[in-house]
Amino acid sequence: MGDRASRIILIALSAFLVTIAPTFPQNFSGIFFAPQVLAQTPNQPNPHKNPALAVTGSFIDYFAEERQLKGHEGSVNSASFSPDDKLIVTAGADNTARVWDFSGKQLVELIGHQSNVYSANFSPDGKLIVTASFDGTARIWDISGKQLVELKGHQGNVYSANFSSDGKWIITASADKTARIWDISGQQIAQITGHENIVTSANFSSDGKRIITASADKTACMWDLSGKLLVQLKGHTDTVWSANFSPDGQRIVTASDDKTARVWDLSGKVLAELKGHGDSVYSASFSPDGKLIVTASIDRTARVWDATGKVIGKLEGHQGSVNNAKFSFDGTQIVTASSDGSILIWNTSKKIFIELLGHLGEVFSASFSPDGKQIITTSKDGTVRIWNTLNKQITEIKAQVAVQSANFSPNGKLIVTTSSEKFAQVWDTSGKILTELKGHESRVNSATFSPDGKFIVTASDDTTARIWDISGKLLTELKADHGRVVSANFSYDGKQIITGSGNTAFIWNTSGKLISKLELKGPQYSVISANFSRDRQLIVTASHDGSAWIWDSSGKVITKIEFPNNITENYSENRVYGADFTPDGKYLVTVTSDGGRVWDISGKLIAEFKGHQDEVINFSLSPDGKQMLTASDDRTVRVWDISNKSLAQINSSQIPSTNNQTKLQYKDEDKSITSLAFSPDNQFFVTGSKSGNVKIWDTSGKLLNELRGHEYQINGINFSSDGKSILTVSLDFARVWSNSGKLLAEIKGKQKHDAALTSASLSPDGKLIVTGYSSFQQNAYLWDSSGKQQMELQGHQNFVNSVNFSPDGKLIVTASDDETACIWDTTGKLLNELKGNSSKVKSASFSPDGKKIITTSSDGTAIIWDTFGKLLAKFNIGFPISSYSSTRVNFSPDGRFIIAQIEGGFTRLWGADGTVISTDESLGNITFSPDGKLIAIVRRGGSASVGIPEEKKLAILQIEPYLVQRVIFSHNSKFFVTISEIPFSSVDKIQVWDVGKLDWMTETSK
């Protein structure tokens, strides 16, 4: 923003503040530095729309989950192996660290920390454990769980603690911007200073002579043991969360909120940039041989990369952000820790599937070569690709039109393709067109070779199938006059052909004579594929209605299979795209929009193969039947192991899946932040979204936990005064959680018509909850913290719109459509009825000192009352208030003002006696800090600034291109959060700011 514009804003703010500045508290002072966002929560774009890996193509292995460890209450922040790989130590948001054996049995719980335990690591001999905590300490324990030493000295959260390779030293990293070296007796040896923001991690090199640190100042730094800065690694554009040396000490890998990890040499030169994660990368570390790197991200995945920065593996299975990922010391396992409360162990030698990534458009088809060593794919991007699974080489053939399908000849030397044109084409594998099969009068839907490779059968919208020789000569026309022919396939002995058209499958001999037909009777049926078993004893047809049918050779139905009609944001129905038998005839493989499935011939579901990020539209089986290809609109192909051994071991919980939702979700709702509240100790804050997601973040922007269960918009979040309990409020119910993320109680109305929860409030001591409902019972309810109903607050004659406790927790005020507000004590006794409103009362809340109440009505009237029911002041805010209005009227934090934040983006101010202070709509939304010394202004155009009225100072928040919607201050007024909207996007961005680091202007400074 230019100097002139800044000056105009400052003058306008100053002119406004002259009126109210005398009423503000005096003697505010602070230390100010360069403007800096302290932290921000990450964005989460749709991963399959990110073309970062789509230029040359990749073969990506998806590793198998070996086992799961569960026991922590809330987020698990880190997990690491013991040197002999027999034990695992984990650190959790529940203030504990825990030791597990490899089978997943919990052996020891390390109890003593008073806050979130952020990291835990073994000593090199495996006999000790060091933990780091947000209580400001690190602690050393023996393997039995006995605390030996407490490392005290840091002045803020301790983010990491690690042993040196000889086990004699420990390095810690803290929010106080320092790293410190300690001996194992707890004596501080050295302090490393130089970072300009919190230090998020610190580690020794393998020879113990150097230290690498990471920081929220967007850098990593290498130091000697005396604290001398050797090299600063600059390049990341956001917080650096971790930095680690390679085993030989010659390279460094870093992980950042900028969605990348980077590999550096010791001079600070970037050797590789690891791009591909869809969100913040929280950790990155080398494999024991230094050849691989594993990263963990908030996008719910961990990824494995080679040293050049090419992704070669993915670990998908967590339901929350992956906070940490590390290799075992033998390199065969990876352990991951997640905000979903679980720890997963992965076997890098076992692959669930391989993903082929490289097409720039939706993938239409995928099929194997006869020897199973090559895969051919077609895409909307206009290319045909041949992928060699042995040498990982990719050949690309550019077609002039988008190729819809492609299949190899039995000898693997030819390819036949179809497109939206009226012909099929035969190619050699170098991409040369040999012949065109012309004659159809409409689009060709499929083309396949005969088993001996001498013939090709095509299916077309012109109601015919046709048989050709490979020179392109038409031999036979198969015509049933039953509508468009969607598929045509040879039997495995080459003697018969089966075609699908309308609601019928037709069986022909190769001379064109109709042998029999299999008809699905009913207007809902439409055959989209038909295939023989190898011995021709069985036939399977798949129908568009969501069913597959197995027939014997006489035409009798043996089995009918119906698919679940799942829907997601990517498709509105679970379409069926095909069905085929495995070569041994024991299993049936089907593919629908949400993935692949394997069934036995009786129709029993054996396994599901899900995970694509968009609709699956095609599949193919390998010649030996041990692998399945699925092609998707997400631009990828996946190769799945469906061998008998794999089917015996697999269960659907091991298969990463994102498209198994039964309820339609909208991305914009999932990203829109509707509620935000700071904890009383200002250490973390909680956000609620329009889709019902609730997330806990620390003030550095790190996601600590996700509270799952709500299905509707979060309308309110309350903390107990000690910060140990959190109340989340949605239309479906209210829930009480511990601050570690454990669900303590769920509060629902007993009647179905009580499902619409309008308001809920948590008492300051966290022991009581009051709820109001849009129900015909017209009551509010009081509950204890376990979710047990204590009593009904009976008296209202219409819907209850709002319920709130007084600051001391002794009173409750309710507002109702019956045009009254009522004051109750916590025994349910009605103390006073506030009458005087001329329309429905939509809200009622106490002043900060609990001595006054303000109510608002649907006609735009606001009334101030004392707690005895006396009307003190009445005024009109100028706008009506409905149940769905975003207009909010409340006391300022010091109780001196009434602030009306009007729907539409501006604020009006009154004194506590009802006198008008400002109705200037040009100022936008105004928010006061809790100490009353600061105000934040958000203008309609999305710009924002923070002012100090008594000093006539202004700080303009540089957030472009984001449009600020709201500002929320922490309780101690030292931080604030901005919620911003990204233009032309459904994503909300949250940023945390340190008041002490804003760039302040005065009226004379510009």
Side-chain angles (χ1 to χ4, degrees), residues 322-363:
V322 184
N323 297 325
N324 174 263
K326 286 185 178 179
F327 281 97
S328 59
F329 283 82
D330 65 7
T332 63
Q333 311 284 333
I334 294 172
V335 63
T336 55
S338 171
S339 64
D340 65 12
S342 69
I343 305 103
L344 300 182
I345 302 173
W346 310 79
N347 189 328
T348 58
S349 65
K350 293 182 181 179
K351 302 169 188 175
I352 301 174
F353 60 85
I354 302 170
E355 184 174 74
L356 310 182
L357 184 63
H359 277 297
L360 300 178
E362 292 92 335
V363 182

Side-chain angles (χ1 to χ4, degrees), residues 411-428:
N411 64 7
K413 295 181 179 181
L414 301 176
I415 299 164
V416 62
T417 63
T418 67
S419 66
S420 58
E421 302 297 328
K422 300 176 184 179
F423 54 83
Q425 294 177 311
V426 180
W427 313 61
D428 64 21

Side-chain angles (χ1 to χ4, degrees), residues 178-393:
T178 72
R180 304 190 186 203
I181 303 173
W182 318 72
D183 64 22
I184 58 172
S185 71
Q187 182 72 31
Q188 182 176 314
I189 305 301
Q191 179 172 308
I192 297 172
T193 59
H195 279 294
E196 297 177 358
N197 209 321
I198 65 174
V199 183
T200 54
S201 82
N203 286 280
F204 288 101
S205 59
S206 55
D207 62 7
K209 295 180 179 179
R210 288 160 295 167
I211 292 164
I212 186 73
T213 57
S215 172
D217 65 11
K218 307 177 186 178
T219 72
C221 292
M222 186 168 64
W223 319 76
D224 65 19
L225 296 187
S226 70
K228 179 183 176 182
L229 178 62
L230 303 177
V231 178
Q232 188 176 49
L233 311 182
K234 289 185 175 182
H236 283 296
T237 59
D238 213 326
T239 296
V240 183
W241 282 109
S242 82
N244 286 283
F245 285 101
S246 59
D248 63 4
Q250 298 304 302
R251 290 169 295 154
I252 296 162
V253 64
T254 55
S256 171
D257 262 345
D258 65 11
K259 306 178 188 177
T260 72
R262 303 188 186 202
V263 182
W264 317 70
D265 66 17
L266 298 187
S267 71
K269 178 184 176 181
V270 176
L271 302 177
E273 189 172 6
L274 283 51
K275 289 184 175 181
H277 278 295
D279 219 310
S280 300
V281 185
Y282 280 162
S283 79
S285 58
F286 287 94
S287 59
D289 61 7
K291 294 180 179 180
L292 301 176
I293 294 164
V294 63
T295 57
S297 171
I298 198 173
D299 68 7
R300 303 186 180 186
T301 72
R303 303 191 183 201
V304 179
W305 316 71
D306 65 20
T308 68
K310 185 176 182 180
V311 63
I312 60 171
K314 282 187 184 179
L315 292 74
E316 286 192 352
H318 283 294
Q319 301 305 306
S321 64
V322 184
N323 297 325
N324 174 263
K326 286 185 178 179
F327 281 97
S328 59
F329 283 82
D330 65 7
T332 63
Q333 311 284 333
I334 294 172
V335 63
T336 55
S338 171
S339 64
D340 65 12
S342 69
I343 305 103
L344 300 182
I345 302 173
W346 310 79
N347 189 328
T348 58
S349 65
K350 293 182 181 179
K351 302 169 188 175
I352 301 174
F353 60 85
I354 302 170
E355 184 174 74
L356 310 182
L357 184 63
H359 277 297
L360 300 178
E362 292 92 335
V363 182
F364 292 140
S365 72
S367 60
F368 284 97
S369 61
D371 61 5
K373 296 178 181 178
Q374 296 187 96
I375 295 165
I376 188 167
T377 60
T378 67
S379 169
K380 191 177 181 179
D381 64 13
T383 68
V384 176
R385 289 190 173 206
I386 301 173
W387 312 70
N388 189 312
T389 58
L390 294 181
N391 60 20
K392 310 293 186 185
Q393 302 245 331

Side-chain angles (χ1 to χ4, degrees), residues 518-555:
L518 311 175
E519 184 178 1
L520 299 173
K521 295 183 179 180
Q524 71 271 33
Y525 300 120
S526 175
V527 175
I528 58 170
S529 79
N531 285 288
F532 292 100
S533 62
R534 289 286 174 103
D535 59 7
R536 266 203 290 136
Q537 295 304 302
L538 298 174
I539 296 163
V540 61
T541 58
S543 172
H544 184 72
D545 72 299
S547 61
W549 305 67
I550 301 176
W551 315 69
D552 65 17
S553 56
S554 70

Side-chain angles (χ1 to χ4, degrees), residues 145 147 201 217 232 314 323 343 397 473 482 621 706 773 783 809 872 917 948 955 992 996:
Q147 181 180 314
S201 82
D217 65 11
Q232 188 176 49
K314 282 187 184 179
N323 297 325
I343 305 103
I397 300 171
K473 180 182 178 180
H482 216 71
L621 292 175
E706 295 183 58
Y773 297 90
W783 316 74
L872 303 177
I917 293 178
I948 306 176
V992 186

